[in-house]
Amino acid sequence: SHVHAMSRRLLMPNQEPEKKEANNLMNAKVPDKKDREGDFEVSILLHGSWHQKRMTYSKKIITFSRVNTDDVLDIIPMKEIVQVYDSAPVETNNIRTRRKSDVTELIAEASNVFKVETIPDGFNLGRSYHLKAHSISDRHLIIQNLKDFSEHARNREMARTKFKMFQIKVQRIFDSDISQQFIGILILANFLINILSAQQDSKLRDHNGHLTDKGKMFERINLAFTLVFAIELLVNLFAHWFNAFVRNFWNLLDVVLIVLSLGAVLESNWIILRFLRTLRVLRLFGSFSSMRTMLKALGLSVNKMACYFIILSVLASIYALIGVSLYALDAPNSFGAFDRSFMTMFRILAGDTWVDEIPWLLEDGTLNSKFSMFVVSYVVIVNWVVLQIGTAVLLDSFMRASMELESREMQKNLHARRLIGFDQEQEPLSELLGQLSRDFTSSDDLSRRLMQLYKIMMHDTSGALSCEDFAAALRKMVKFYFQNNSVSF
């Protein structure tokens, strides 16, 4: 039962296990004294013979360990117990170490025997446990406790499962393309309302600053949008509670905008409210995957973009300093100080190809060659060369980033297909076997790892590993490989 945990500990010591229920079961410990409901020495039937074990249980879990130790060998979650029988005939179909008649006789001769059955698709994969208590009173107490605790755990899990299934259903509806497109339409409609409101701003208030009838109408419409988006936020929070919600930047942005919008409504602060309404359109970037991909690609290109803007700023600053040195007296409004000169260079960069304060012809009608060379060289170097090359570099960087994101998405989908069985080349044991075959440092190291794996697969100290135990260990490894690599679609 510890194969997956052991393989992670031996082969991947630097990987942190995910905090999931599967890993919690794999790393289960003997219940603490404050949670412990029972601690008995029992005998468990393994390979056709009785083996002394320590049985400890709480209201949530049963653990089996070696006597007088906390070294957990096997566990049974209370919620996965189907039935506890006071006494039952042993199932001998899988017995290999002794003849069936001998095992049946062994059970018949034993006293204080009881049987624990588990669900087929649970942690123990439907395994039945035949246990023998030391006394009648111990047997009655254990059976009664296990029946009560398992029933309570099953009822609690059933309620939890119903709630979880409803949450998953809400999540699927919320994340569907139709729902996201509808939310996108609402965001665009709200944005258009804001545009219309800004276009008629002078008609929304009277000379005293009070809202007119038209202004009140726009405010009621925007308040309705705010309430709709607040409800949408609550549904999103319920569907993705909790980690999936807070790890999404767009959800956090949504929370900030909605909370501030509602606060601005209560405080009647219309300036802040109008500003926040304008920012709502940013949520469109989080509603559509293509927009998210574009933003991620821009984010991956930010380093080159920063270098590019620094180069443009340096060139503009150089020409701004030259302009202050040469033309501060002739054109004080354009080159009288560095900040004015820099803005003049920026205007030329943006498409304003001349400075009005300095004519391009002299009084005698000849070309103002000095200033013309200054402007022409700046336009050629910055606008025609650096700007164009920089745009090409940024476009190439953006395309490379987009391809990298697409490659990651393809790898993720491929991994998902492997997990659900579409790719037969990748099996749950491939990672363990591959690392066993690659990462060992010597023959002794490989033998040590295999021996440790062998010992953990054993349920007793007999030194034998039956086919049943080996198959059960492999089934558990496969089961929890899929649980720990679960995929959302």
Side-chain angles (χ1 to χ4, degrees):
S1 63
H2 294 268
V3 175
H4 182 77
M6 189 283 301
S7 63
R8 184 174 63 246
R9 184 170 66 251
L10 284 180
L11 304 178
M12 294 172 285
N14 295 325
Q15 285 191 353
E16 290 292 335
E18 296 181 2
K19 294 181 180 179
K20 294 182 178 180
E21 183 179 6
N23 282 336
N24 291 336
L25 290 176
M26 282 298 186
N27 298 314
K29 298 180 180 179
V30 173
D32 296 332
K33 290 185 178 180
K34 59 183 180 65
D35 299 325
R36 193 178 302 167
E37 299 292 339
D39 192 347
F40 299 91
E41 287 188 15
V42 300
S43 297
I44 183 170
L45 185 63
L46 296 170
H47 317 312
S49 60
W50 294 105
H51 296 267
Q52 196 80 358
K53 302 294 178 187
R54 178 190 178 192
M55 177 182 180
T56 311
Y57 57 86
S58 65
K59 292 182 179 180
K60 295 182 179 180
I61 194 171
I62 303 173
T63 63
F64 295 98
S65 58
R66 294 182 177 88
V67 178
N68 297 325
T69 70
D70 290 337
D71 186 12
V72 176
L73 300 173
D74 201 2
I75 64 172
I76 305 177
M78 284 290 183
K79 65 184 180 182
E80 296 184 1
I81 295 178
V82 177
Q83 188 59 271
V84 181
Y85 297 100
D86 192 359
S87 61
V90 67
E91 296 176 0
T92 58
N93 294 331
N94 296 322
I95 299 297
R96 295 290 181 269
T97 58
R98 299 178 59 149
R99 292 182 303 172
K100 295 181 181 180
S101 59
D102 294 341
V103 174
T104 304
E105 183 179 352
L106 182 66
I107 296 298
E109 293 175 351
S111 58
N112 302 321
V113 177
F114 61 99
K115 177 183 176 183
V116 178
E117 287 187 351
T118 61
I119 60 177
D121 57 345
F123 179 82
N124 301 93
L125 301 164
R127 180 180 175 184
S128 296
Y129 291 78
H130 296 271
L131 304 167
K132 182 173 65 172
H134 281 192
S135 64
I136 296 177
S137 59
D138 285 354
R139 183 186 66 177
H140 288 328
L141 178 59
I142 293 173
I143 290 174
Q144 188 60 45
N145 284 342
L146 296 189
K147 286 183 177 180
D148 294 341
F149 297 156
S150 61
E151 182 180 3
H152 178 72
R154 285 195 304 271
N155 293 336
R156 184 174 55 189
E157 181 66 17
M158 187 177 299
R160 178 176 175 269
T161 302
K162 289 181 179 178
F163 175 81
K164 190 65 177 178
M165 292 301 295
F166 177 70
Q167 186 182 32
I168 291 174
K169 186 179 294 185
V170 173
Q171 179 181 344
R172 288 177 177 173
I173 295 174
F174 183 85
D175 291 339
S176 65
D177 292 339
I178 295 178
S179 297
Q180 292 302 310
Q181 289 171 4
F182 178 72
I183 294 172
I185 291 173
L186 288 179
I187 295 173
L188 285 176
N190 181 234
F191 191 61
L192 292 176
I193 292 295
N194 291 333
I195 293 176
L196 292 175
S197 175
Q199 179 66 25
Q200 304 184 41
D201 185 69
S202 60
K203 301 178 181 179
L204 302 183
R205 294 180 180 275
D206 55 23
H207 60 280
N208 295 322
H210 299 127
L211 290 174
T212 62
D213 293 339
K214 182 176 289 187
K216 292 179 180 179
M217 179 191 70
F218 275 108
E219 291 305 325
R220 284 193 291 267
I221 293 174
N222 279 300
L223 179 60
F225 274 112
T226 301
L227 294 177
V228 169
F229 290 137
I231 294 173
E232 181 258 341
L233 176 64
L234 293 177
V235 174
N236 187 9
L237 180 62
F238 172 78
H240 298 94
W241 182 269
F242 174 71
N243 291 336
F245 182 87
V246 298
R247 290 174 182 172
N248 189 314
F249 168 78
W250 301 107
N251 290 339
L252 299 180
L253 177 63
D254 197 12
V255 170
V256 172
L257 293 178
I258 294 299
V259 171
L260 293 179
S261 296
L262 292 175
V265 169
L266 295 177
E267 293 292 332
S268 299
N269 194 327
W270 305 114
I271 297 177
I272 296 178
L273 188 58
R274 178 173 294 182
F275 172 72
L276 293 173
R277 289 168 184 168
T278 305
L279 294 181
R280 282 179 189 165
V281 74
L282 294 176
R283 296 182 56 214
L284 278 177
F285 298 126
S287 300
F288 299 98
S289 58
S290 57
M291 290 186 177
R292 290 197 300 269
T293 301
M294 184 177 297
L295 287 178
K296 289 179 180 178
L298 288 174
L300 293 175
S301 306
V302 68
N303 291 335
K304 291 186 177 180
M305 292 174 63
C307 293
Y308 174 56
F309 291 139
I310 290 174
I311 292 173
L312 286 178
S313 299
V314 169
L315 289 174
S317 298
I318 292 173
Y319 271 85
L321 291 173
I322 296 175
V324 171
S325 301
L326 298 179
Y327 306 109
L329 298 177
D330 297 334
N333 292 332
S334 299
F335 297 101
F338 175 80
D339 56 347
R340 303 177 193 176
S341 182
F342 185 85
M343 288 305 300
T344 300
M345 295 295 101
F346 184 80
R347 288 175 54 195
I348 296 176
L349 178 64
D352 191 357
T353 56
W354 200 258
V355 180
D356 296 333
E357 274 191 280
I358 302 179
W360 65 283
L361 292 177
L362 298 176
E363 294 180 355
D364 57 0
T366 59
L367 181 67
N368 189 345
S369 57
K370 180 181 176 182
F371 188 72
S372 296
M373 288 298 297
F374 174 78
V375 174
V376 169
S377 64
Y378 180 76
V379 171
V380 171
I381 294 174
V382 178
N383 288 37
W384 291 5
V385 178
V386 176
L387 189 62
Q388 305 306 319
I389 293 177
T391 302
V393 171
L394 288 180
L395 181 60
D396 179 70
S397 176
F398 179 80
M399 294 300 296
R400 289 177 182 271
S402 299
M403 293 174 63
E404 181 180 348
L405 289 173
E406 291 179 2
S407 177
R408 291 179 186 176
E409 190 68 23
M410 290 177 62
Q411 290 294 330
K412 182 179 178 181
N413 292 336
L414 179 61
H415 183 60
R417 291 173 63 85
R418 287 175 174 175
L419 288 177
I420 60 177
F422 286 115
D423 194 335
Q424 299 298 325
E425 296 180 359
Q426 178 72 23
E427 298 294 340
L429 299 181
S430 297
E431 186 174 5
L432 172 60
L433 298 178
Q435 294 190 46
L436 274 173
S437 62
R438 292 191 309 268
D439 295 349
F440 65 92
T441 57
S442 63
S443 298
D444 292 339
D445 180 48
L446 179 59
S447 298
R448 179 184 60 80
R449 296 186 184 206
L450 291 173
M451 182 56 67
Q452 191 169 355
L453 176 63
Y454 176 77
K455 288 181 179 179
I456 292 179
M457 282 185 170
M458 289 190 301
H459 287 280
D460 53 47
T461 58
S462 64
L465 181 64
S466 67
C467 293
E468 180 184 6
D469 288 340
F470 183 72
L474 292 183
R475 286 197 300 270
K476 287 181 181 180
M477 182 184 293
V478 171
K479 174 181 177 62
F480 286 96
Y481 177 89
F482 287 123
Q483 287 192 11
N484 290 330
N485 295 275
S486 58
V487 182
S488 300
F489 294 96

